[in-house]
Each structure stands twice: as structure tokens, then as C-alpha cells.
Amino acid sequence: MAKEHDNIYKTINQLLLRSNIESKPLAAFYIQFPRGRDVYIILPHFREQVRKLEYNNNRIFVLDYFLLEKDVTEAQLWEHVAAQFLFPHKIITGDKIITDKKKQYLRKIILETLKILVEEHKIAALNLRIKPEYFLFEKLRRLSGVSPLIRREISQFTQYSEDILTLFQDNIHDFTEAAEELVSEGILTHYQGLFAVTEKAYNEMTSKTVLLDINKIERMIKNIFTDRSSLGASLKLFLENVENVPQVYLMSHIPKIPDSQDFLYLSTGIGLQRLNEQYDIIDFAKKFYEEAKFEVKKIGKTLNSTYHLIIRRDRDDVLEFFVKKYLNWTDVKWVVARIWTLGIRNFSMLASSRMANEIYFVNFLREVGFNSPEIVHVNWRGYTLYQEYVHGRTLFDLWIAKHETRWDYAYKVGRLLAEVHSSGIVLGDCKPENFLIEENSGRIYVIDLEQASKKGDKAWDLTELLFYPGHYLDSRTAAEIAGRIASGYASTGDIEQLKKALSPKYLRVLAPWTPVWVQKAISDEIKTLLKS
């Protein structure tokens, strides 16, 4: 191989001299396509910036070093040169230059891809598990969608191969190394042999996403109108190649590459699930439980798309799941909630955001020791979440039924809420219906976490839990139960949050549900507790 590269290097220098190009290459590499080689020669201070040469069945691209650098960092050539690092390639000379630029480009790809994942999957991106193959094939997919040149190169490179993963194994290894470097920087972390976004990186990405997008647009506009030489090089490279691109690649030809979603996973109760596995309720039952009999029952109130899935493998082997389909932003329930609580509580309305919240916070609460029904499957595009079904009654059910344990569980739920708050989580939708007492063990499960957050108002959680029951109960009972909740919260929580929960700005929000005289009875009960 070394001898072959020496011969290629000599041929390159002879070709440059015949073309009246006197500079010696800083670096050079090539890609072997079935039709021949594409050779990229990097020169210092090349005035023409880009020139295409022909040699036998090979295409030779002579490129200025700084133009390569700009294509790697700013997509100056719309990544038509930088993207060659995504194909199996051989370095002829200038190993350090090519290796450094490739590392720089792969790092950029991973960071951009992570930002897109965060944008698309919101906080649930923290629960995604990523194989390095995802970064490679997702980038190739996106490039092929906008560039007929890249589309042609992918197709020509893969059309004769049955094992594309083996074909790209060196590139996958390069992405693995690039991801490992981001692990050392605290941007990625390891998870069961895969990679995951760290919370630190997620917070930075969500706080800077808009600014980064604006800056990128501004740079592109500036380049178009101020850096005419580079724009000319980009157009020149494109025009010199597009004449050789068959019409099929200029249209909607889809190259044969693996689906990037095959390398993106979500951790569930039945193992890692590929994110592109999207099953409705019936398909889910058939996929995972084949010949078993199943039954689907609609449950919940009119505005909730929730179901009870029962799978019977035999008389003594019954599995049960709670299935929740998130309604979109036109859901009347959340429109009304957002308008009425304006200035107090910012409810998430988009189905994707609410499902992302629930996925993340269910997993988070379980990881730190709280009970929440385990997630077993996610249909991301269908906005449908599958969880284990927990038999029991909610705190609300106990109150309405006047169950003898209602006082005890009111105290326990108050204490539990204080512990959840201490873990840094605010529930956002903290009604008594969202605390489920398991019928056999008596364990309390926190459910319906689609409005949960890490930056919410703890006092609002308390206000809702303390005062909302006044809509159903008489003033005396509501006050006594609120007192038990407050006692539980005060036993381990922040007393200042209890005081804040009595603020008129919160109570006015609940006025349509909880009458003023009931609110006063509850407030008096809690004030008495705070004085003791």
C-alpha cells in the first residue's frame, strides 16, 4: 500500500506540473469509487482556490488549504469537500493535516446532530441512547437530501455492497473516537456501551439554540455578500461536477444507506427500544406478545386519550399496560389551563413536549428512588406512551369514598411532595388524582408527569394540591385534609413554600373551582399549623 501511495504521490506532482501548478501538496487523500478515484490535493495559497483535473478515470480536485478549513468549520463549499471524510478514504500525504481536519469535522457533526436531537425530542433527549453509527448515517442522510453530488457519491459507493456497515467500519470507528473525546469534555456520557447526552450539555444547548441558529444564518448571509471569492469557488466546484450527475440523482433518488434511526434507542422496562419502532396499541400487543389474547379498554375522562391494555397469555399469566396518547396543542383542556394561569404557570401544550417531559421525569423519579409506572414502549411519531399498569386508587378516590386511610395518605402525600421537591423536581400538575396508592403494597406512585420541570414553582404545586380538593369537599373536610397534607410537607420540606402557597395570586387561579369560603377555611387551617 505504501508503494502504491508513493506512485500516486509522484503522479500527482507530475500532473500539477503539467497543469502549471508549481506548489507542492500539503496533503492529499483519495476515495476509491467503482468508476475510479476521486483525489483531493490540498495546496497552500492556491489562487484559483479550486480546480478540477482529469487523469484516466480519476477526478483530481486541487483545493486551497484555507478553503478546506472553511468548508470544515463553516460549510463554505456547502460541505462538498468536508463530506468526503464520511467515506472510506486513504491518505496519500499530510497525515496530520487530514486527520486534524477530519476530527474537527466529525466533532462539528456530532455537536450539530445532538442539537437537532435536543430540539426534536426536548428533555427526553436525555433518555436517548446513541450508537456512533447514528452520527454518520444521519449526516449522510441530511446531506443526500440537499446535494445531488453527495447523493450520487453515496449511491455509487454503496450500490455494489451488501454489507454497508462493514464498508463504513473505519468511519464508524472515527466517529466512536470523536464521541469519546466529547465524553472527556462532559458533553456525552457512556450508557451500556452506547452514548448519551449529559444534562450539562443539554442545558447549554437549550439555552443557546436560538442564538446559534441566528448566528449561523448571519454568517451565511455575510459570506454570500462579502466573500465573493469563496462563493465563486463553491459555485465552480458545483458546476464542474453537476454536468456529470445523471438526472436520477438530481431528482429524489434515495441512496442505499442504513436508516440512522436504527442506531437511536430509548431505555424502557423491556430493554433498549429502537426509536423507529412505532407501534399502535394492537401492533404493540401482536409484536411483543404474538399469539396472546388482548383487550383494550378506554379509560379516563373525555379529554384524556388513555387506555387499559390487557394481554392474556394464559389464565394465570396476565400482563397489563397503561397507554396514553397525547393530544395536540388544540386540546381544550390545556388551552383553557394556559389562558387561566397566565403569569402563574406556563403549561406545556404541544403533544411532543408533554410526552418528552413525561418520559424524562418518569425515568428520573425512578432513578432517584420514587415510584412511577415503568415505561415499556414509546411511539414517538404517534405521541403514545406505554407504561406498566398499577392497580390502586388515587388520593382523590380515597377522599371521595371517605376511606379510613385518607387522613394517613394525605400526610404521606404531603411528605412525598416535599421529597420530590427536594430532588429538584416540580410536578406542575399536582392534583390529588396524580398520586396513586397501589392496592396491595400501599406504595404511592407519582403519575401524569407531562407538566413536570426542574425550574417550576414549588408553591404552585402546593397550592393546587391543598386547595383544588375544595372543589369536591365541604369546607371543614377540605381544611382538615389540607392540614394533613401541609403537616406532611412541613415534616421534611421548606416551610417558606407553604407560606408562599397561600398567596392571593395563586388562590385567584383556583377561584372558579374552589369557592372563596372554602379557600379561607383551608388557609386558616394552614396558618394555624405554621404558627404552631
mmCIF file of all heavy atoms in Angstrom, residues 86 106 109-111 113-114 117 130-140 175-176 179 182 188 195 260 263:
data_model
loop_
_atom_site.group_PDB
_atom_site.id
_atom_site.type_symbol
_atom_site.label_atom_id
_atom_site.label_comp_id
_atom_site.label_asym_id
_atom_site.label_seq_id
_atom_site.Cartn_x
_atom_site.Cartn_y
_atom_site.Cartn_z
ATOM 1 N N LEU A 86 -16.486 11.447 5.257
ATOM 2 C CA LEU A 86 -17.506 10.499 5.704
ATOM 3 C C LEU A 86 -17.461 9.201 4.903
ATOM 4 O O LEU A 86 -18.147 8.238 5.242
ATOM 5 C CB LEU A 86 -18.900 11.125 5.583
ATOM 6 C CG LEU A 86 -19.115 12.434 6.353
ATOM 7 C CD1 LEU A 86 -20.530 12.949 6.135
ATOM 8 C CD2 LEU A 86 -18.828 12.251 7.831
ATOM 9 N N LEU A 106 -15.810 15.859 12.267
ATOM 10 C CA LEU A 106 -16.658 14.882 12.950
ATOM 11 C C LEU A 106 -17.175 15.441 14.270
ATOM 12 O O LEU A 106 -18.325 15.188 14.648
ATOM 13 C CB LEU A 106 -15.894 13.578 13.191
ATOM 14 C CG LEU A 106 -15.367 12.835 11.957
ATOM 15 C CD1 LEU A 106 -14.940 11.428 12.331
ATOM 16 C CD2 LEU A 106 -16.397 12.785 10.847
ATOM 17 N N ILE A 109 -20.024 17.653 13.423
ATOM 18 C CA ILE A 109 -21.207 16.872 13.050
ATOM 19 C C ILE A 109 -21.921 16.356 14.293
ATOM 20 O O ILE A 109 -23.149 16.454 14.417
ATOM 21 C CB ILE A 109 -20.811 15.689 12.137
ATOM 22 C CG1 ILE A 109 -20.417 16.203 10.758
ATOM 23 C CG2 ILE A 109 -21.963 14.684 12.023
ATOM 24 C CD1 ILE A 109 -19.848 15.128 9.849
ATOM 25 N N ILE A 110 -21.159 15.795 15.227
ATOM 26 C CA ILE A 110 -21.773 15.236 16.433
ATOM 27 C C ILE A 110 -22.495 16.321 17.219
ATOM 28 O O ILE A 110 -23.640 16.139 17.656
ATOM 29 C CB ILE A 110 -20.718 14.533 17.311
ATOM 30 C CG1 ILE A 110 -20.178 13.296 16.591
ATOM 31 C CG2 ILE A 110 -21.323 14.136 18.659
ATOM 32 C CD1 ILE A 110 -19.063 12.586 17.333
ATOM 33 N N LEU A 111 -21.852 17.469 17.393
ATOM 34 C CA LEU A 111 -22.473 18.553 18.158
ATOM 35 C C LEU A 111 -23.738 19.061 17.466
ATOM 36 O O LEU A 111 -24.760 19.311 18.120
ATOM 37 C CB LEU A 111 -21.476 19.695 18.350
ATOM 38 C CG LEU A 111 -20.296 19.393 19.286
ATOM 39 C CD1 LEU A 111 -19.312 20.557 19.300
ATOM 40 C CD2 LEU A 111 -20.788 19.099 20.698
ATOM 41 N N THR A 113 -25.632 17.359 15.401
ATOM 42 C CA THR A 113 -26.633 16.295 15.464
ATOM 43 C C THR A 113 -27.271 16.234 16.843
ATOM 44 O O THR A 113 -28.483 16.032 16.975
ATOM 45 C CB THR A 113 -25.993 14.937 15.114
ATOM 46 O OG1 THR A 113 -25.347 15.037 13.838
ATOM 47 C CG2 THR A 113 -27.045 13.842 15.045
ATOM 48 N N LEU A 114 -26.469 16.424 17.881
ATOM 49 C CA LEU A 114 -27.009 16.432 19.243
ATOM 50 C C LEU A 114 -27.982 17.595 19.437
ATOM 51 O O LEU A 114 -29.025 17.447 20.081
ATOM 52 C CB LEU A 114 -25.872 16.524 20.260
ATOM 53 C CG LEU A 114 -24.951 15.304 20.372
ATOM 54 C CD1 LEU A 114 -23.829 15.582 21.363
ATOM 55 C CD2 LEU A 114 -25.730 14.060 20.784
ATOM 56 N N LEU A 117 -31.203 16.621 17.891
ATOM 57 C CA LEU A 117 -31.897 15.653 18.745
ATOM 58 C C LEU A 117 -32.590 16.350 19.908
ATOM 59 O O LEU A 117 -33.730 16.034 20.256
ATOM 60 C CB LEU A 117 -30.906 14.620 19.287
ATOM 61 C CG LEU A 117 -30.516 13.463 18.370
ATOM 62 C CD1 LEU A 117 -29.504 12.563 19.064
ATOM 63 C CD2 LEU A 117 -31.733 12.653 17.957
ATOM 64 N N ILE A 130 -27.311 6.394 22.093
ATOM 65 C CA ILE A 130 -26.874 6.618 20.714
ATOM 66 C C ILE A 130 -25.678 5.740 20.360
ATOM 67 O O ILE A 130 -24.678 5.709 21.086
ATOM 68 C CB ILE A 130 -26.480 8.100 20.518
ATOM 69 C CG1 ILE A 130 -27.582 9.020 21.067
ATOM 70 C CG2 ILE A 130 -26.204 8.393 19.057
ATOM 71 C CD1 ILE A 130 -27.130 10.459 21.259
ATOM 72 N N LYS A 131 -25.776 5.051 19.230
ATOM 73 C CA LYS A 131 -24.621 4.364 18.664
ATOM 74 C C LYS A 131 -23.879 5.337 17.746
ATOM 75 O O LYS A 131 -24.504 6.200 17.112
ATOM 76 C CB LYS A 131 -25.067 3.137 17.859
ATOM 77 C CG LYS A 131 -25.430 1.930 18.700
ATOM 78 C CD LYS A 131 -25.640 0.705 17.814
ATOM 79 C CE LYS A 131 -25.823 -0.550 18.651
ATOM 80 N NZ LYS A 131 -25.971 -1.755 17.799
ATOM 81 N N PRO A 132 -22.552 5.208 17.625
ATOM 82 C CA PRO A 132 -21.794 6.121 16.752
ATOM 83 C C PRO A 132 -22.287 6.102 15.309
ATOM 84 O O PRO A 132 -22.183 7.106 14.600
ATOM 85 C CB PRO A 132 -20.359 5.599 16.853
ATOM 86 C CG PRO A 132 -20.313 4.808 18.109
ATOM 87 C CD PRO A 132 -21.683 4.255 18.325
ATOM 88 N N GLU A 133 -22.820 4.956 14.871
ATOM 89 C CA GLU A 133 -23.343 4.865 13.509
ATOM 90 C C GLU A 133 -24.416 5.921 13.243
ATOM 91 O O GLU A 133 -24.581 6.374 12.101
ATOM 92 C CB GLU A 133 -23.942 3.472 13.262
ATOM 93 C CG GLU A 133 -22.922 2.354 13.185
ATOM 94 C CD GLU A 133 -22.654 1.702 14.530
ATOM 95 O OE1 GLU A 133 -22.795 2.388 15.564
ATOM 96 O OE2 GLU A 133 -22.285 0.511 14.554
ATOM 97 N N TYR A 134 -25.132 6.302 14.290
ATOM 98 C CA TYR A 134 -26.205 7.283 14.111
ATOM 99 C C TYR A 134 -25.657 8.593 13.551
ATOM 100 O O TYR A 134 -26.233 9.174 12.624
ATOM 101 C CB TYR A 134 -26.918 7.551 15.440
ATOM 102 C CG TYR A 134 -27.956 8.650 15.323
ATOM 103 C CD1 TYR A 134 -29.184 8.399 14.721
ATOM 104 C CD2 TYR A 134 -27.689 9.938 15.768
ATOM 105 C CE1 TYR A 134 -30.126 9.407 14.579
ATOM 106 C CE2 TYR A 134 -28.625 10.950 15.634
ATOM 107 C CZ TYR A 134 -29.839 10.679 15.036
ATOM 108 O OH TYR A 134 -30.759 11.690 14.888
ATOM 109 N N PHE A 135 -24.544 9.065 14.106
ATOM 110 C CA PHE A 135 -23.984 10.346 13.667
ATOM 111 C C PHE A 135 -23.580 10.290 12.195
ATOM 112 O O PHE A 135 -23.817 11.237 11.438
ATOM 113 C CB PHE A 135 -22.777 10.714 14.534
ATOM 114 C CG PHE A 135 -23.086 10.840 15.993
ATOM 115 C CD1 PHE A 135 -22.494 9.991 16.916
ATOM 116 C CD2 PHE A 135 -23.976 11.796 16.449
ATOM 117 C CE1 PHE A 135 -22.775 10.099 18.271
ATOM 118 C CE2 PHE A 135 -24.269 11.917 17.803
ATOM 119 C CZ PHE A 135 -23.667 11.062 18.713
ATOM 120 N N LEU A 136 -22.973 9.183 11.787
ATOM 121 C CA LEU A 136 -22.522 9.040 10.401
ATOM 122 C C LEU A 136 -23.693 9.002 9.426
ATOM 123 O O LEU A 136 -23.765 9.804 8.480
ATOM 124 C CB LEU A 136 -21.681 7.766 10.258
ATOM 125 C CG LEU A 136 -21.327 7.348 8.826
ATOM 126 C CD1 LEU A 136 -20.486 8.420 8.139
ATOM 127 C CD2 LEU A 136 -20.600 6.000 8.823
ATOM 128 N N PHE A 137 -24.627 8.083 9.649
ATOM 129 C CA PHE A 137 -25.688 7.881 8.664
ATOM 130 C C PHE A 137 -26.751 8.980 8.712
ATOM 131 O O PHE A 137 -27.400 9.259 7.701
ATOM 132 C CB PHE A 137 -26.304 6.495 8.836
ATOM 133 C CG PHE A 137 -25.334 5.389 8.524
ATOM 134 C CD1 PHE A 137 -24.955 4.472 9.490
ATOM 135 C CD2 PHE A 137 -24.763 5.300 7.267
ATOM 136 C CE1 PHE A 137 -24.047 3.465 9.211
ATOM 137 C CE2 PHE A 137 -23.842 4.297 6.970
ATOM 138 C CZ PHE A 137 -23.484 3.376 7.941
ATOM 139 N N GLU A 138 -26.907 9.628 9.859
ATOM 140 C CA GLU A 138 -27.823 10.771 9.918
ATOM 141 C C GLU A 138 -27.262 11.937 9.117
ATOM 142 O O GLU A 138 -27.994 12.628 8.399
ATOM 143 C CB GLU A 138 -28.059 11.179 11.375
ATOM 144 C CG GLU A 138 -28.938 12.400 11.565
ATOM 145 C CD GLU A 138 -30.378 12.216 11.109
ATOM 146 O OE1 GLU A 138 -30.776 11.073 10.786
ATOM 147 O OE2 GLU A 138 -31.111 13.230 11.068
ATOM 148 N N LYS A 139 -25.947 12.149 9.209
ATOM 149 C CA LYS A 139 -25.325 13.224 8.433
ATOM 150 C C LYS A 139 -25.392 12.924 6.941
ATOM 151 O O LYS A 139 -25.717 13.813 6.130
ATOM 152 C CB LYS A 139 -23.871 13.413 8.867
ATOM 153 C CG LYS A 139 -23.157 14.563 8.155
ATOM 154 C CD LYS A 139 -23.818 15.906 8.443
ATOM 155 C CE LYS A 139 -23.034 17.061 7.817
ATOM 156 N NZ LYS A 139 -23.665 18.375 8.100
ATOM 157 N N LEU A 140 -25.097 11.688 6.557
ATOM 158 C CA LEU A 140 -25.188 11.320 5.142
ATOM 159 C C LEU A 140 -26.620 11.470 4.632
ATOM 160 O O LEU A 140 -26.845 11.913 3.499
ATOM 161 C CB LEU A 140 -24.703 9.882 4.937
ATOM 162 C CG LEU A 140 -23.193 9.656 5.041
ATOM 163 C CD1 LEU A 140 -22.871 8.176 4.934
ATOM 164 C CD2 LEU A 140 -22.441 10.439 3.963
ATOM 165 N N PHE A 175 -15.916 8.047 14.226
ATOM 166 C CA PHE A 175 -16.973 8.705 14.993
ATOM 167 C C PHE A 175 -16.962 8.249 16.450
ATOM 168 O O PHE A 175 -17.263 9.030 17.356
ATOM 169 C CB PHE A 175 -18.343 8.440 14.361
ATOM 170 C CG PHE A 175 -18.742 9.467 13.345
ATOM 171 C CD1 PHE A 175 -18.639 9.203 11.987
ATOM 172 C CD2 PHE A 175 -19.210 10.710 13.745
ATOM 173 C CE1 PHE A 175 -19.003 10.157 11.047
ATOM 174 C CE2 PHE A 175 -19.573 11.677 12.811
ATOM 175 C CZ PHE A 175 -19.468 11.399 11.458
ATOM 176 N N THR A 176 -16.620 6.996 16.674
ATOM 177 C CA THR A 176 -16.519 6.497 18.052
ATOM 178 C C THR A 176 -15.439 7.262 18.807
ATOM 179 O O THR A 176 -15.638 7.685 19.953
ATOM 180 C CB THR A 176 -16.198 4.993 18.062
ATOM 181 O OG1 THR A 176 -17.210 4.288 17.333
ATOM 182 C CG2 THR A 176 -16.146 4.458 19.488
ATOM 183 N N ALA A 179 -16.628 10.765 19.540
ATOM 184 C CA ALA A 179 -17.604 10.758 20.637
ATOM 185 C C ALA A 179 -16.909 10.567 21.979
ATOM 186 O O ALA A 179 -17.297 11.176 22.986
ATOM 187 C CB ALA A 179 -18.637 9.657 20.406
ATOM 188 N N LEU A 182 -15.695 13.743 23.316
ATOM 189 C CA LEU A 182 -16.772 14.545 23.896
ATOM 190 C C LEU A 182 -17.197 14.008 25.255
ATOM 191 O O LEU A 182 -17.718 14.753 26.081
ATOM 192 C CB LEU A 182 -17.963 14.590 22.934
ATOM 193 C CG LEU A 182 -17.707 15.347 21.627
ATOM 194 C CD1 LEU A 182 -18.914 15.253 20.705
ATOM 195 C CD2 LEU A 182 -17.374 16.807 21.897
ATOM 196 N N LEU A 188 -20.939 14.197 26.300
ATOM 197 C CA LEU A 188 -21.565 12.882 26.210
ATOM 198 C C LEU A 188 -21.155 12.049 27.418
ATOM 199 O O LEU A 188 -20.174 12.359 28.096
ATOM 200 C CB LEU A 188 -21.140 12.166 24.926
ATOM 201 C CG LEU A 188 -21.671 12.709 23.596
ATOM 202 C CD1 LEU A 188 -21.013 11.993 22.427
ATOM 203 C CD2 LEU A 188 -23.185 12.578 23.511
ATOM 204 N N PHE A 195 -23.801 5.893 23.795
ATOM 205 C CA PHE A 195 -23.549 7.257 24.251
ATOM 206 C C PHE A 195 -24.866 7.945 24.586
ATOM 207 O O PHE A 195 -25.918 7.618 24.027
ATOM 208 C CB PHE A 195 -22.809 8.059 23.174
ATOM 209 C CG PHE A 195 -21.422 7.556 22.892
ATOM 210 C CD1 PHE A 195 -21.177 6.723 21.812
ATOM 211 C CD2 PHE A 195 -20.367 7.906 23.718
ATOM 212 C CE1 PHE A 195 -19.904 6.250 21.545
ATOM 213 C CE2 PHE A 195 -19.083 7.440 23.468
ATOM 214 C CZ PHE A 195 -18.850 6.609 22.381
ATOM 215 N N SER A 260 -30.679 5.825 9.890
ATOM 216 C CA SER A 260 -29.972 6.311 11.080
ATOM 217 C C SER A 260 -30.758 6.029 12.357
ATOM 218 O O SER A 260 -30.181 5.826 13.431
ATOM 219 C CB SER A 260 -29.699 7.814 10.957
ATOM 220 O OG SER A 260 -30.912 8.540 10.835
ATOM 221 N N PHE A 263 -30.083 3.255 14.931
ATOM 222 C CA PHE A 263 -28.974 3.352 15.880
ATOM 223 C C PHE A 263 -29.277 4.328 17.018
ATOM 224 O O PHE A 263 -28.380 4.780 17.721
ATOM 225 C CB PHE A 263 -27.701 3.769 15.137
ATOM 226 C CG PHE A 263 -27.391 2.891 13.964
ATOM 227 C CD1 PHE A 263 -27.691 3.297 12.672
ATOM 228 C CD2 PHE A 263 -26.848 1.633 14.154
ATOM 229 C CE1 PHE A 263 -27.432 2.478 11.583
ATOM 230 C CE2 PHE A 263 -26.583 0.799 13.077
ATOM 231 C CZ PHE A 263 -26.872 1.222 11.790
#
